[in-house]
Amino acid sequence: MKEQLKYLSVIAAVSAALSGCGTPGKEGEASSGKSDVEMNMQEAAEHADAMLDAVFESIKPEVQWTHDETTTTSCDLIRRRTVMTIISKERRGSFLGLVERFWEKSGYEITAVNKSTKFPAVYAEDSDGFTISLSIGDQGQAFFEAATPCVEESAVADPTSSPKGVNYAGKKIPRPNVHSDFWSSTTPIPSASPTESAD
């Protein structure tokens, strides 16, 4: 449990750093960052949603997922999706490798890769300063996050994309509970991605 909490804290810190905005000022006051791109928070949220839609469409065989919490600051936000399909430890490297190759093909810059066999992760950034990440947590649960750069403050609506499988939005999301003959298999894929290596 302590290891998992430490892992989540690291992920949160990296996500905050990659978002590039909303750094605290003196006495805990948020800084008033200026817009980095010409759009408001709703438009930025839609861009982040499109990034997430695209990566899920690229995953074959498909996985089941649900919307997770959206967090906002004074000028940026993070959209989250949680995968409900069990990703076995033998297939995690292949899962991350597939996603990493898709992001590279899409013109994203891969900014960091965590090669841990237990909690691997990959981080990328597009040309507009939006960041996106995939991390594997407890029991092989995969988490996707898309963070916006600093934009004009506005109201933000909920995502419009329909989840694949049970929609846990607004509820406590359980551990992965959907078996996949492919992604949950304990048989390694011979051509596993280089992201799968020892700690």
Side-chain angles (χ1 to χ4, degrees):
M1 182 64 180
K2 288 183 179 179
E3 184 179 9
Q4 178 67 4
L5 289 174
K6 180 180 179 182
Y7 161 75
L8 292 175
S9 297
V10 171
I11 292 301
V14 172
S15 296
L18 292 177
S19 67
C21 182
T23 54
K26 292 182 179 180
E27 298 180 358
E29 294 181 358
S31 63
S32 56
K34 295 182 179 180
S35 297
D36 293 330
V37 293
E38 296 298 321
M39 65 177 66
N40 61 33
M41 292 176 75
Q42 176 59 38
E43 292 168 331
E46 292 171 1
H47 183 97
D49 290 338
M51 293 171 72
L52 292 167
D53 286 342
V55 70
F56 274 101
E57 288 174 4
S58 76
I59 298 172
K60 305 295 180 185
E62 66 182 13
V63 293
Q64 293 195 18
W65 61 270
T66 182
H67 288 292
D68 205 334
E69 179 184 19
T70 294
T71 56
T72 61
T73 70
S74 61
C75 73
D76 61 4
L77 62 91
I78 300 175
R79 290 290 211 203
R80 295 179 174 86
R81 297 184 186 182
T82 297
V83 175
M84 301 310 301
T85 299
I86 300 165
I87 311 298
S88 71
K89 63 180 181 180
E90 291 83 5
R91 298 290 169 103
R92 290 172 196 171
S94 297
F95 187 76
L96 270 79
L98 183 156
V99 170
E100 182 178 347
R101 289 189 294 274
F102 171 74
W103 286 340
E104 289 177 325
K105 184 178 179 181
S106 300
Y108 297 176
E109 176 188 357
I110 303 302
T111 57
V113 177
N114 179 351
K115 297 183 178 181
S116 164
T117 53
K118 189 171 185 180
F119 298 130
V122 59
Y123 304 86
E125 183 175 352
D126 75 3
S127 59
D128 293 317
F130 286 74
T131 62
I132 191 166
S133 66
L134 162 61
S135 57
I136 304 295
D138 193 34
Q139 297 183 27
Q141 191 152 41
F143 301 92
F144 284 85
E145 292 187 357
T148 74
C150 188
V151 294
E152 181 182 350
E153 185 176 9
S154 72
V156 178
D158 292 335
T160 58
S161 302
S162 298
K164 179 67 177 179
V166 178
N167 184 5
Y168 291 100
K171 305 174 184 177
K172 182 178 179 179
I173 299 176
R175 291 289 189 259
N177 53 22
V178 178
H179 177 83
S180 164
D181 288 343
F182 184 82
W183 294 118
S184 307
S185 173
T186 56
T187 302
I189 297 176
S191 57
S193 165
T195 60
E196 185 177 37
S197 63
D199 286 320

